[in-house]
Amino acid sequence: PNLHHRRSIRLKDFDYRLGGYYFVTFATANLECLFGEIVDGQMVLNQFGEIARQEWLRAEEVREEVELDEFVIMPNHIHGIIIIKGAEAEEGTIVAKRARRRASLEMMGAFHRNARTADPPAPPGLQAGSLGAIISQFKSICNKRINKLRQTPQAQVWHRNYYESVITKEKALLRIRIYIAHNPQFWNRDKFNET
């Protein structure tokens, strides 16, 4: 009980297997610039970055429910849009909007009461076909291939978590696509750039 607990950053009560568009960002462990460098506003992948690119693209090949949209591999993080296909895509958008609204109201209430709440119980595990399972498998395969190449079998390649946003509006989708496409040009101002 005295150990620190990680608070979930996922939307409460949202099923991440639902069809829809998801904007994801995940970083390397300790923000190590592992995948290459930015040269004249363009990302130049090294051998580890090429592994990440290959495995990202493979996600679409091995999972019929997954479609990839815009993505960029940066020196120490990846931004991408993952589309989980399914007839319930519209339902997923509606559920996401409700879950976000509920989360905002809960946070506002907690702020006003100055309450500290216990961490929510951890999910029993990743559900097959969920966004978390897709990212977990991608990270695991990259981890194995990169560590084999650099002969560091137990090294941690990735930061433990990832950030996601359920895209519910076309305007937001277009804005995120532009952000991803132009990300290398703004590396000098990027929050992940610690140089």
Side-chain angles (χ1 to χ4, degrees):
N2 295 330
L3 294 175
H4 73 284
H5 296 280
R6 293 190 309 144
R7 187 172 297 279
S8 175
I9 58 174
R10 309 281 84 84
L11 287 174
K12 189 177 176 184
D13 301 325
F14 183 74
D15 185 348
Y16 284 93
R17 294 171 297 173
L18 287 174
Y21 287 69
Y22 298 88
F23 172 45
V24 296
T25 299
F26 39 98
T28 58
N30 302 313
L31 294 179
E32 178 184 1
C33 288
L34 185 64
F35 301 131
E37 61 183 333
I38 302 292
V39 178
D40 297 326
Q42 299 291 317
M43 180 63 193
V44 178
L45 298 175
N46 61 19
Q47 58 188 347
F48 305 132
E50 186 56 34
I51 288 171
R53 187 189 72 76
Q54 289 168 4
E55 294 305 331
W56 181 262
L57 295 173
R58 187 160 311 175
E60 188 175 60
E61 294 172 14
V62 298
R63 291 178 195 83
E64 63 184 44
E65 77 278 8
V66 170
E67 187 177 321
L68 300 174
D69 200 289
E70 192 72 44
F71 76 95
V72 65
I73 298 172
M74 297 291 287
N76 60 5
H77 66 282
I78 295 175
H79 293 299
I81 298 171
I82 295 175
I83 304 163
I84 297 180
K85 297 184 275 188
E88 68 285 337
E90 185 62 29
E91 179 190 341
T93 296
I94 292 166
V95 172
K97 286 179 181 176
R98 287 183 191 145
R100 260 205 295 259
R101 192 175 309 120
R102 213 173 21 255
S104 294
L105 291 172
E106 287 173 7
M107 284 190 295
M108 228 169 21
F111 175 78
H112 288 299
R113 289 187 312 274
N114 197 17
R116 291 183 181 221
T117 59
D119 288 336
L126 293 174
Q127 296 179 324
S130 70
L131 182 65
I134 294 163
I135 291 174
S136 179
Q137 187 174 19
F138 164 79
K139 284 180 165 184
S140 177
I141 293 168
C142 285
N143 214 52
K144 287 176 187 168
R145 288 187 63 195
I146 289 170
N147 280 333
K148 183 177 180 182
L149 191 59
R150 65 182 182 174
Q151 299 178 359
T152 54
Q154 301 301 316
Q156 187 177 351
V157 171
W158 300 104
H159 176 45
R160 187 172 180 176
N161 218 332
Y162 67 94
Y163 296 94
E164 112 300 309
S165 176
V166 184
I167 305 170
T168 58
K169 295 183 178 175
E170 190 171 343
K171 204 173 189 179
L173 176 61
L174 295 174
R175 189 180 71 247
I176 292 167
R177 283 175 174 156
I178 291 168
Y179 171 79
I180 292 171
H182 294 285
N183 205 242
Q185 297 168 14
F186 300 103
W187 174 240
N188 61 332
R189 291 183 271 161
D190 197 304
K191 68 179 179 179
F192 289 100
N193 185 355
E194 295 190 331
T195 58

